[in-house]
Amino acid sequence: MASSQTWLLRPLQERSTQIFLGVLFSALIVVTFLHLFMPQDSALHVSAYTVTLLGKYLCYALLAVAVDLVWGYLGILSLGHGAFFALGGYAMGMYLMRQIGDRGVYGDPVLPDFMVFLNWDTLPWYWQGFDMAWFAFIMVLLAPGLLALVFGFLAFRSRVTGVYLSIITQALTFALMLAFFRNEMGFGGNNGLTDFREILGFNLRSDATRLGLFIATGIALAIGYLICRGIVTSKLGRVSVACRDAEARTRFLGYRVERVQLFVFVVSAMLAGVAGALYVPQVGIINPSEFSPLFSIEIVVWVALGGRATLYGAVIGAILVNYAKTVFTGVMPDAWLFALGALFVLVTVFLPKGIAGLLQKRRKAKDEDTTTGQEATA
């Protein structure tokens, strides 16, 4: 029990974790206060739209943390984490669709509107149980986790590594995207799942519900960050870094590298699924575009920009890139991809360790100056 408690509490003793959680919870408190207590005509008022937008950024931040766990500390460049994100989103979307009931366009108490439109007579077996919140929440973890378990077992057991593994993960998410585009799959086809009404009995179009989802996403990000920090600061984390830097030598020392890789990969996939589940009720739709390989590549850009193997750098990168995307798509909608590409190239050339690396470098220089000053005084 003591070792378990140490494993769980160790990240809270780190200065970087304390700063990260302090900034995160301060932001949650400030946004909540400005939304609830500032008049709507005030310049300081945070609108419901902005709250939802910030919640979306936090979902992406959790997704970036999941990718950084496998890429930064395990050395696996996954170009398919968008699939795990989308599966978690679809699991939540199926639950939200079942909550509509007879309030849909066609008034069917069981079948979602798109199934009635396609002349389906009965609810598919894989939709059973999604009218219950607890079942849907389990599937949010189980669906991406099971896919990662099967895929990872086959890939790591076969010792597929490097660019080959990246290509296979990209092929996986592309295949799922094509499958979910088909109407006969029973997931809404090209249009996906949308027109959600409520979650856990709360109206999704209510400002209070949107604020609650924003806060829940912030808490989920904090928990996901702590889980990842707990892993990377444990013995498992040290073995993961060893697998990243010298896989053959780690095997020679007697470690079951594939088991380490599989465990971390599955945990990362589950975190991505949670991010997708929190994303769907806030944006109001989930469709096959979330499986797009381009989206998975974009996630890697977030992590690279923020800084690999730091976790908090992934959060910084995800928020900054998506904020820039929001701005650029409004100012120059046809050119924002070029701006994103240019940003990635500049960071790769001038900041190979990302924004987090720059912060660490400045902190190290400051500590050295402080030490030099103390020695000179002495």
Side-chain angles (χ1 to χ4, degrees):
M1 179 64 72
S3 61
S4 176
Q5 291 177 348
T6 302
W7 180 84
L8 292 172
L9 297 177
R10 184 184 295 114
L12 294 175
Q13 301 172 359
E14 298 176 331
R15 183 168 178 267
S16 61
T17 301
Q18 294 170 355
I19 294 175
F20 173 81
L21 293 179
V23 171
L24 175 60
F25 286 118
S26 296
L28 293 178
I29 293 171
V30 169
V31 171
T32 301
F33 177 82
L34 295 179
H35 174 70
L36 293 177
F37 299 105
M38 285 294 172
Q40 293 188 4
D41 57 352
S42 172
L44 297 177
H45 176 72
V46 176
S47 65
Y49 169 78
T50 304
V51 169
T52 301
L53 189 62
L54 293 175
K56 176 182 172 181
Y57 293 165
L58 293 181
C59 291
Y60 286 152
L62 179 56
L63 176 58
V65 168
V67 172
D68 193 24
L69 179 64
V70 293
W71 186 28
Y73 295 92
L74 201 56
I76 297 175
L77 176 57
S78 172
L79 298 179
H81 259 60
F84 305 130
F85 177 83
L87 286 177
Y90 266 96
M92 176 60 73
M94 292 165 73
Y95 162 73
L96 297 176
M97 291 296 289
R98 293 297 306 274
Q99 297 306 299
I100 297 175
D102 57 5
R103 293 172 293 176
V105 175
Y106 298 101
D108 193 297
V110 177
L111 296 179
D113 284 338
F114 73 88
M115 291 186 183
V116 178
F117 178 78
L118 295 173
N119 296 320
W120 289 43
D121 298 325
T122 58
L123 192 71
W125 63 268
Y126 46 84
W127 275 77
Q128 301 294 336
F130 278 95
D131 56 331
M132 297 176 288
W134 64 268
F135 180 84
F137 296 159
I138 290 176
M139 293 305 296
V140 164
L141 296 172
L142 188 60
L146 187 60
L147 176 62
L149 180 65
V150 174
F151 174 84
F153 176 78
L154 296 175
F156 302 142
R157 186 184 181 186
S158 303
R159 299 190 181 183
V160 180
T161 58
V163 65
Y164 302 104
L165 182 59
S166 299
I167 293 173
I168 293 175
T169 58
Q170 189 176 47
L172 172 68
T173 187
F174 184 70
L176 287 172
M177 181 186 70
L178 295 180
F180 274 71
F181 265 123
R182 299 174 64 90
N183 285 327
E184 53 267 33
M185 283 288 289
F187 295 106
N190 182 57
N191 295 323
L193 308 178
T194 187
D195 195 29
F196 309 130
R197 303 297 177 85
E198 63 181 39
I199 180 171
L200 298 175
F202 296 98
N203 183 4
L204 279 173
R205 297 169 187 178
S206 167
D207 291 350
T209 305
R210 294 182 182 182
L211 181 63
L213 287 169
F214 165 73
I215 296 173
T217 306
I219 294 174
L221 175 59
I223 294 173
Y225 183 89
L226 287 175
I227 291 174
C228 292
R229 286 305 303 174
I231 290 175
V232 301
T233 56
S234 66
K235 181 180 178 181
L236 175 63
R238 293 191 291 273
V239 175
S240 299
V241 174
C243 295
R244 179 195 68 188
D245 297 337
E247 182 177 329
R249 183 176 297 180
T250 307
R251 290 183 187 276
F252 180 77
L253 292 174
Y255 289 101
R256 299 295 297 271
V257 171
E258 61 275 5
R259 293 184 180 180
V260 174
Q261 292 173 328
L262 185 60
F263 176 80
V264 176
F265 191 67
V266 170
V267 171
S268 174
M270 288 182 172
L271 290 175
V274 172
L278 290 167
Y279 171 86
V280 169
Q282 296 186 80
V283 300
I285 188 174
I286 178 72
N287 59 42
S289 65
E290 304 300 340
F291 285 104
S292 170
L294 180 61
F295 176 58
S296 293
I297 295 173
E298 192 175 331
I299 302 168
V300 173
V301 174
W302 305 343
V303 179
L305 174 64
R308 283 177 57 195
T310 58
L311 296 181
Y312 67 84
V315 175
I316 295 174
I319 293 176
L320 284 182
V321 171
N322 282 284
Y323 174 74
K325 181 178 179 179
T326 301
V327 174
F328 287 138
T329 51
V331 176
M332 45 180 182
D334 297 329
W336 78 267
L337 278 175
F338 296 101
L340 178 63
L343 182 64
F344 181 67
V345 171
L346 291 174
V347 169
T348 302
V349 173
F350 296 105
L351 295 175
K353 294 185 178 180
I355 296 174
L358 177 63
L359 296 176
Q360 291 175 346
K361 184 177 180 180
R362 293 185 61 180
R363 178 185 172 187
K364 184 179 180 180
K366 183 178 179 181
D367 292 341
E368 290 177 352
D369 292 341
T370 303
T371 303
T372 303
Q374 291 176 349
E375 292 176 352
T377 304

